[in-house]
Amino acid sequence: MSNQKKRIVKIEPLKQMVNVDSKLAWKILEDAIREIYNQNVSDLSFEELYRNAYYMILQRFGDKLYSGLVTTLTKHIREVSELIEAAQGDLFLEVLKRKWEDHNKALEMIQGILMYMDRTFIPSTHRTPVYQLGLNLWRDNIIHSSQIQTRLLKTLLDLVQRDEQVKLYLGEE
Amino acid sequence: MTGSSSDSKVEIISRLAQWRIESFGPCSYRRSDSFKLGIWNWHISIEKNRYLYVRLFPEPSRVSKEQPPLARFVLRVSSCGPNRRPYISPIHERLLRTSEDFVWPVDSTFLGRIVIDVEFLDLKICQLNGGDPISIWPGDGATQCLATQRTLCCLSRMLNEEILTDVTINMSGGTLRAHKAILSASSPVFQSMFLHDLKEKESSMVDIEDISVESCMALLSYLYGTIKQDDFWRHRLALLGAAHKYDIMDLKDACEESLLEDINSGNVLERLQEAWLYQLDKLKKGCLMYLFDFGKIYDVKDEIDAFFRNADRELMEELFHELLTVWKPA
């Protein structure tokens, strides 16, 4: 009997090793994603973030991690959307471009931290990979936002027109 | 024997073999001593008849039978008499197995000293299984082998003498020094870790909580190519975890193979759990086969209760599914 007890105990450490508090793990990741968008990353530990995401997936909290990611990214992108909408006049394109570049850089980091989810959970549950998800959310919330879409189109057309006028003017000279 | 006198010897330099025959003597047939070129021992023979017949062939042996040479070569026969121009053969390319495979007749009116040159332009090992012949030049195999050994030696020194290390790995039990480049080349996770401007890149420190110093050293020695078999064996569970976490596929496969090798009733449930956790299909199949097809589930029936209480639901479903497939009502 004592021998059998030992064998049962052997299984336990494995379970404990994987045992992370999924709420705490997600809190750490959520805060980190915010800091990444705030470009405040030098204090973030890649290993710690990767480990938390890794154990969340290993412990079958993939759904929680993925839906949390979608919510957080969406929330952030909507905030960005408001900022872009609020930009006045010529600043509009500038803000849009800067936010787009920030978004891309942030996505690359998030993709790195959540690499394990991209490798296992996402293919097995047929979901959209992290980077593509970020691009889709940007498209749906910013490019397709009625305000931004109209304004973007108008601004670009204005620029083209201004460019044409300058060419005409120079040509006449 | 005709090949015993001192002028039977063939001198070789690089790819050129030269047989200097002082005098033909009374015989009509001479065979040179064997000379080694490539992986074969060769002979040249000459036979005086209406013509002078020159033959080139490998010594009959296992090598020449199983890996016969495909030779591209030029022969030249010259004598030192006045007004004698050397006979130069065209370039031949022949599979040479026996003395019958190549004969070159030359005008036989030689007197006195004869010099026979064989210049090998290429020597290939003929593959009996029909594969392409492999040239023995340049001797890639040996050079590559040497280079590999040397590289391993360098890597081993880099790790053990901490040569120009640029990252510190902190674990609860101690620290180890390594190289970002080696870690990054081995694992996409480390590559991403040192690419982005997060803490690790700036501080050149990584805090890894879920590995012991000994297991981490085993991991590093695997990545640096210097791991010893017993270290691998002792740390293979930890190595499996690390390989899975850091996406080092070859190490993960090696661990899985190793764990498959010693399944027994004492560890099969634990192995099954590992296989489930790390998605090791081969190991999982092995464990299920051991339990059900080979009926060893009866040996572990006391432990299986506890296992069922703790195991993942999906794993349980799979277990029952397997049980139903194997179960044949009497």
Side-chain angles (χ1 to χ4, degrees), chain B residues 21 23-30 45-55 106-114:
Chain B
I21 307 162
S23 73
F24 209 92
C27 318
S28 61
Y29 177 82
R30 292 281 308 268
S45 77
I46 46 178
E47 189 185 343
K48 216 171 187 175
N49 210 312
R50 265 185 59 208
Y51 292 95
L52 182 73
Y53 295 98
V54 183
R55 290 183 167 85
V106 206
D107 180 3
S108 69
T109 56
F110 289 106
L111 291 165
R113 189 168 186 257
I114 309 173

Side-chain angles (χ1 to χ4, degrees), chain B residues 158-217:
Chain B
M158 281 166 66
L159 180 63
N160 295 328
E161 298 169 30
E162 301 188 353
I163 299 172
L164 292 177
T165 51
D166 57 3
V167 62
T168 305
I169 301 172
N170 296 317
M171 290 139 294
S172 55
T175 65
L176 291 170
R177 299 274 299 159
H179 304 81
K180 288 177 184 171
I182 303 274
L183 298 180
S184 297
S186 309
S187 149
V189 178
F190 283 121
Q191 189 172 15
S192 185
M193 183 186 292
F194 298 124
L195 175 73
H196 300 300
D197 296 326
L198 272 59
K199 199 159 85 183
E200 283 85 356
K201 186 177 171 184
E202 284 301 305
S203 68
S204 295
M205 293 225 255
V206 189
D207 301 330
I208 303 183
E209 287 176 4
D210 50 359
I211 196 165
S212 70
V213 181
E214 293 75 23
S215 298
C216 189
M217 191 59 213

Side-chain angles (χ1 to χ4, degrees), chain A residues 4 7 12 14-15 17 41-42 44-47 50-51 54-55 60 108-109 112 115-116 119, chain B residues 188-189 192-193 196-200 207 209-210 244-247 273-274 276 302-303 310 312:
Chain A
Q4 287 159 7
R7 284 181 204 164
E12 290 307 309
L14 187 69
K15 289 185 72 69
M17 180 190 85
V41 295
S42 57
L44 295 175
S45 156
F46 185 99
E47 165 68 28
Y50 179 84
R51 184 172 58 232
Y54 171 71
Y55 282 121
R60 317 213 157 250
E108 276 171 23
M109 285 189 200
M115 199 186 283
Y116 184 70
R119 181 152 62 89
Chain B
V189 178
S192 185
M193 183 186 292
H196 300 300
D197 296 326
L198 272 59
K199 199 159 85 183
E200 283 85 356
D207 301 330
E209 287 176 4
D210 50 359
H244 186 73
K245 183 179 168 197
Y246 294 109
D247 197 8
Q273 185 101 346
E274 299 272 348
W276 177 253
D302 296 318
E303 293 97 318
N310 290 316
D312 189 276

Side-chain angles (χ1 to χ4, degrees), chain B residues 272-284:
Chain B
L272 187 58
Q273 185 101 346
E274 299 272 348
W276 177 253
L277 189 64
Y278 298 128
Q279 296 128 43
L280 308 171
D281 281 341
K282 264 165 83 182
L283 183 60
K284 191 176 74 188

Side-chain angles (χ1 to χ4, degrees), chain B residues 77-121:
Chain B
V77 179
S78 45
S79 74
C80 44
N83 308 325
R84 292 308 295 255
R85 271 182 305 169
Y87 288 89
I88 300 171
S89 77
I91 295 172
H92 293 283
E93 181 149 20
R94 293 286 173 89
L95 179 64
L96 300 175
R97 294 161 185 272
T98 68
S99 57
E100 297 312 308
D101 286 328
F102 174 76
V103 188
W104 183 44
V106 206
D107 180 3
S108 69
T109 56
F110 289 106
L111 291 165
R113 189 168 186 257
I114 309 173
V115 177
I116 299 173
D117 284 355
V118 183
E119 188 164 3
F120 289 95
L121 304 175

